[in-house]
Amino acid sequence: MLTGLSIRDVVLIETLDLEFGEGLGVLTGETGAGKSILLDALGLALGVRADSGLVRAGQPQAVVTTSFDLPADHPARALIAENGLDGEPGEPLVIRRIVKADGGSRALVNDQAASATLLRELGGLLVEIHGQQDDRGLLNPRGHRALLDAYGRIDTAPAEAAHRAWAAAEARLAAARESLETAARDREWLEHTVAELRAAAPEEDEEETLAAMRADMQKGARLADDIAAARAHLEGSEGALAELRQTARRLDRIAPEHPKLAEALAAVDRAVIEAAEAEDRLAEASDAMAYDPDRLEAAETRLFLLRDLARKHRTDPDRLAALTEDLGAQLDAIGAGEAGLHDLESAVTAARAQYESAAAALTSARANAAGRLDAAVAAELKPLKLDAAQFRTALAPLAEAQWGPHGRDRVEFEISTNPGAPFGPLARIASGGEMSRFVLALKVALAERGAARTIVFDEIDRGVGGAVASAIGERLHRLAGGAQVLVVTHSPQVAARGQSHLLIEKSHDGIVTRTGVHRLDADRRREEIARMLSGAEVTDEARAQANRLLEAA
C-alpha cells in the first residue's frame, strides 16, 4: 500500500509530506483548493508524462517521492528484479520523480535510475486512479479478460500449456516443410550430383595418396639406374654383402685368438646387419618407385578427376567423400521427409484438438463467471442511482489468428444506461458521474482481486447526494476492507465513512498562494463535515448532523 507522499514545488504546493494508512482515506476541501494538484503529483510518481508546467513558479524543479509497503511476493518486486534494480523484500519501495522547469525529467526507483516505461509499469501494479476522464484500469477492455478470470478464479494454465504445445508442433511442421521445399527445389541437381559423386566413389585422403604415388613413380623413372646399380653392389655372390658374410666367417674361426680379432668380428657382424637392412630398403624403394606407365596414367587420370570434382563443388578433394554422404543424405531426406510430414501433421492436429478442448473449457468457465459477475454488479447499481442502467460481460469468439495462451474469447464490460438503449463500452456510453459509479460497482463486485492494492477515486460522488452519496460511502468503506482506498470527495456522507481525513486548503499571504494539506483530528473533522453540509457558515445544526453521520459510520 501507499505509505507516504512527499511533494516539493509542484504548482501551489511548496513543501508537503503525507503519510497514509490502511482502509478508507478521504481528502476534502473547497473547490479550487488544489485537490487535483495532489493527484497530479501522485500521477507523476506513477509514470504519467512529465509536464514542466507542474513546476512551481520560480523554482528549478519539482520533486515527488512516494513510498510503498509491499509483501515480498508482490508483482512490483518481481518487475524491479527483472530490470536489474536492487530492492530488499522487507524494505519499502521508494519511487522518486524529478521534473525540471526546462522540460527534462528523471525517475528513480530505490535511488536507482529507471526509465519512464518501467515507472508506468510499476504504477499500474501499485495504484489504480479512477477519475471521470479516466480511460485506464477497469475502463480498458484489454484488461477485462484477466479481471473476469480473477473474479471466477479460472485456471488458465491448461490452455496455456496446450497452446505452447500446439505452437511447438506447428513450428516443427513448418521447419520440416521449409526444409523439404528447399530440398525439392534442388532435387534434379541433387540427383545428378549424387550420381556423379557416387560413380566417382571418392575415398577419404585419396587425393593425397594418389599424388604421393604419382610423385614416387616419376622419381622412380629418374632414379631406376642408380637404384639398380646400388643393389648390384650389395646383392649377388660377388656383392658387398656376400663379401662381408665371408669375412665374418673367417674372423669367427680366429676371433678367440685375440681380443682385437673379436672386436673386428663384432664390427663386421654389425656391418652385415646394416648391409642387409640396406638391401631390404633398396628392394622396397625399388618396388615403391617402380615405374609403370599404365599405373602412372591411371593414377594421374584419377587424380585429375578428383580435383575437377573438387573445383566444381568448391571444396577440397579430401572433402569429396563427406560431400557425397551429405548430399546423398539430403536426397534421401526428401523421400523420408515426405513420409515424416504425415506424422508431424498428425501431431499438429492432435495438439490443436487439445488446445481447443482446453479453450472451450475456459469459455464455459468464463460464461459461468460472467453471469455471476453481472448479477453482482446489478445488485450494486440501484443503490448508486443507476437503477435504469444494465451491465453485462460480453463474451465473443476471437478470430483464429487471435487465439492465444489465454483462450479464444474477447471479454468486454458493457453497459446500457437507459431501457432499450444498446449496450456499448463503459468509457463511451456513461457520463462522467455514471462512469465513476459504474467503476465503484465493478470494484465492489470484483472485490479487487488484481495486483494493485491502492485505489484512488477522484470525485466519484460528483452530482449526487443524499441516499446515493451514502450508498457510495458504504461501498467505498466495504471496498477498503480488502484494499487501501483514497477518495477525493465533496460529499459529507462519503467523508464521514473515512478512517482518516485529510483537508486540502489554499492560503495566500498577499504575495504567494500556497496549497497545504492537514490531517484532521476528531474535532476538526466534525467541523469540516459540518462545512460540507452547510457551506461557508457552519451552524450548530450542521455540527449536529455531522455528528450523526460520524456516529452512523
Side-chain angles (χ1 to χ4, degrees), residues 377-389 437 441 467-468 471 475:
V377 174
E380 301 294 333
L381 296 181
K382 186 174 181 179
L384 296 175
K385 203 176 181 180
L386 293 169
D387 44 317
R437 282 177 279 154
V468 177
R475 279 151 182 80

Side-chain angles (χ1 to χ4, degrees), residues 313-331:
H313 296 292
R314 298 179 181 180
T315 188
D316 295 326
D318 290 339
R319 280 281 304 151
L320 286 173
L323 179 64
T324 304
E325 291 184 9
D326 292 344
L327 295 181
Q330 289 183 35
L331 185 60

